[in-house]
Amino acid sequence: MERPPLNALQVFVTAARAENMTRAAEQLHLTVSALSHQVRLLEQRLGVTLFLRGPRGLKPTPEGAMLLQRVGPHLDAIDAALQPLRARRDCTLRISALPSLASSWLVPRLPRFVARHPDFEFNLDSSVERVGFADGRFDGALRYGPGTWDDVVAELLFEEWLTPVASPSLLAGRAPPRLERLGEWPLLCPDDPWPRWFEQFGGSEPQRYVATFSDSDTLMRATVEGMGVSLGRATLMRPLVESGRLVVLFPVRMRARYAHYLVYPERSRRHRGFVAFRDWLHAEALAFREAGLDDWPARALAEDTNGKRARAGGSRGRRR
């Protein structure tokens, strides 16, 4: 039997996985008619029926299911092997970022980059997964960590600061927490550097923590819902504080052990779109640092506290 063409096998695998001709055609940028024609040719070449067609879409026959199981992984392997060799357009840019930083810091600034470079196609992938650049899918990534990753260039964007935050619902009807007695309150995530916090600012750790969460987004959501007090990252919690959903408890803050970095492979230095994005990103990070916005909540609270004291002093003077 003559070997079926590779293109027909790819069409079959896409249709079998999509279980729908229209969706498969969209993925392959074909018309439904052209896709159906390819499937019929493959069925004629193999002498078997590959799909049962019904009102709810496609269902592989036993022969179709066997073909998908045997051929699909090999086509995936071919696609993965060819990915790094495919030519990338300099105007197409693919960046990965942690969901927490993407939503709170990067996305609000992205319109400025897009407006400055209307000819670029910007693609943002929000994921907590570690990025491997060997497959050629990404040009760079924004990551939070020690900055000592292997086989990539890591450039510091800005430091991160930590300070206790809580929801208004948790604070309602209670006396404000005192710094040295914070351990008496329900605290979240012992994996956060609470021991360093108590060592630096005094007080004792609680006998137990209320709950632990594996990612910062879920931790912030639990804090907003009033589950307990967390050590919030200044950069990530700013929208929540400004909207009144979180309250900064004290006018002090602690530097985090990790910071925010732009990481990328050496090949990205030759990518016109990435170079433009890198320059823009560093300019945004510099403005962010110079404005003191990386640790703004603690500073703002300190300024507000000092202002209230000054106003109170002035009022007492007038009463005299």
Side-chain angles (χ1 to χ4, degrees), residues 53 103 148 275 297:
R53 297 164 175 81
S103 60
T148 54
V275 170

Side-chain angles (χ1 to χ4, degrees), residues 9-82:
L9 290 172
Q10 182 64 65
V11 167
F12 161 74
V13 168
T14 303
R17 288 173 173 172
E19 296 185 344
N20 183 281
M21 282 289 189
T22 301
R23 286 199 298 269
E26 290 174 351
Q27 293 175 25
L28 295 171
H29 304 289
L30 297 173
T31 64
V32 174
S33 177
L35 187 143
S36 299
H37 179 68
Q38 289 284 342
V39 171
R40 283 195 299 271
L41 288 178
L42 182 61
E43 289 177 326
Q44 292 172 7
R45 182 72 61 85
L46 297 176
V48 297
T49 299
L50 298 174
F51 290 114
L52 297 175
R53 297 164 175 81
R56 295 188 177 181
L58 301 176
K59 182 179 180 181
T61 63
E63 293 81 7
M66 182 178 66
L67 183 62
L68 175 63
Q69 181 181 11
R70 294 185 177 182
V71 173
H74 295 288
L75 291 179
D76 293 339
I78 292 173
D79 187 66
L82 294 177

Side-chain angles (χ1 to χ4, degrees), residues 12-260:
F12 161 74
V13 168
T14 303
R17 288 173 173 172
E19 296 185 344
N20 183 281
M21 282 289 189
T22 301
R23 286 199 298 269
E26 290 174 351
Q27 293 175 25
L28 295 171
H29 304 289
L30 297 173
T31 64
V32 174
S33 177
L35 187 143
S36 299
H37 179 68
Q38 289 284 342
V39 171
R40 283 195 299 271
L41 288 178
L42 182 61
E43 289 177 326
Q44 292 172 7
R45 182 72 61 85
L46 297 176
V48 297
T49 299
L50 298 174
F51 290 114
L52 297 175
R53 297 164 175 81
R56 295 188 177 181
L58 301 176
K59 182 179 180 181
T61 63
E63 293 81 7
M66 182 178 66
L67 183 62
L68 175 63
Q69 181 181 11
R70 294 185 177 182
V71 173
H74 295 288
L75 291 179
D76 293 339
I78 292 173
D79 187 66
L82 294 177
Q83 186 66 36
L85 304 178
R86 289 174 177 150
R88 289 286 303 279
R89 295 184 301 158
D90 271 358
C91 60
T92 300
L93 178 64
R94 296 191 178 101
I95 299 294
S96 173
L98 295 172
S100 53
L101 186 66
S103 60
S104 64
W105 191 88
L106 179 60
V107 171
R109 291 166 170 78
L110 268 182
R112 293 197 284 268
F113 176 77
V114 174
R116 185 178 301 178
H117 301 283
D119 57 324
F120 288 170
E121 178 186 325
F122 187 89
N123 298 280
L124 178 63
D125 178 79
S126 298
S127 173
V128 297
E129 299 296 327
R130 183 173 179 177
V131 176
F133 293 107
D135 61 7
R137 289 193 305 133
F138 295 106
D139 303 299
L142 275 66
R143 284 297 180 262
Y144 180 69
T148 54
W149 297 281
D150 295 331
D151 302 321
V152 295
V153 180
E155 298 174 348
L156 177 66
L157 295 174
F158 47 85
E159 302 284 350
E160 186 61 271
W161 296 86
L162 306 174
T163 193
V165 291
S167 71
S169 63
L170 182 67
L171 302 174
R174 306 175 66 173
R178 293 166 56 184
L179 183 61
E180 69 276 9
R181 305 192 67 170
L182 184 59
E184 299 174 6
W185 284 66
L187 304 185
L188 301 176
C189 276
D191 292 338
D192 278 351
W194 278 116
R196 275 204 303 133
W197 176 270
F198 286 109
E199 180 181 354
Q200 184 169 338
F201 296 106
S204 301
E205 285 191 76
Q207 294 184 353
R208 69 178 185 88
Y209 288 82
V210 175
T212 300
F213 302 96
S214 61
D215 64 274
S216 56
D217 278 345
T218 307
L219 171 60
M220 284 293 97
R221 178 60 186 271
T223 309
V224 168
E225 296 298 330
M227 186 176 290
V229 178
S230 65
L231 274 177
R233 297 184 199 168
T235 305
L236 308 185
M237 67 186 180
R238 179 174 185 173
L240 298 173
V241 174
E242 290 183 334
S243 66
R245 301 174 70 189
L246 285 181
V247 176
V248 178
L249 300 182
F250 311 109
V252 292
R253 80 278 195 206
M254 180 177 70
R255 187 190 298 272
R257 293 189 185 276
Y258 292 156
H260 298 278

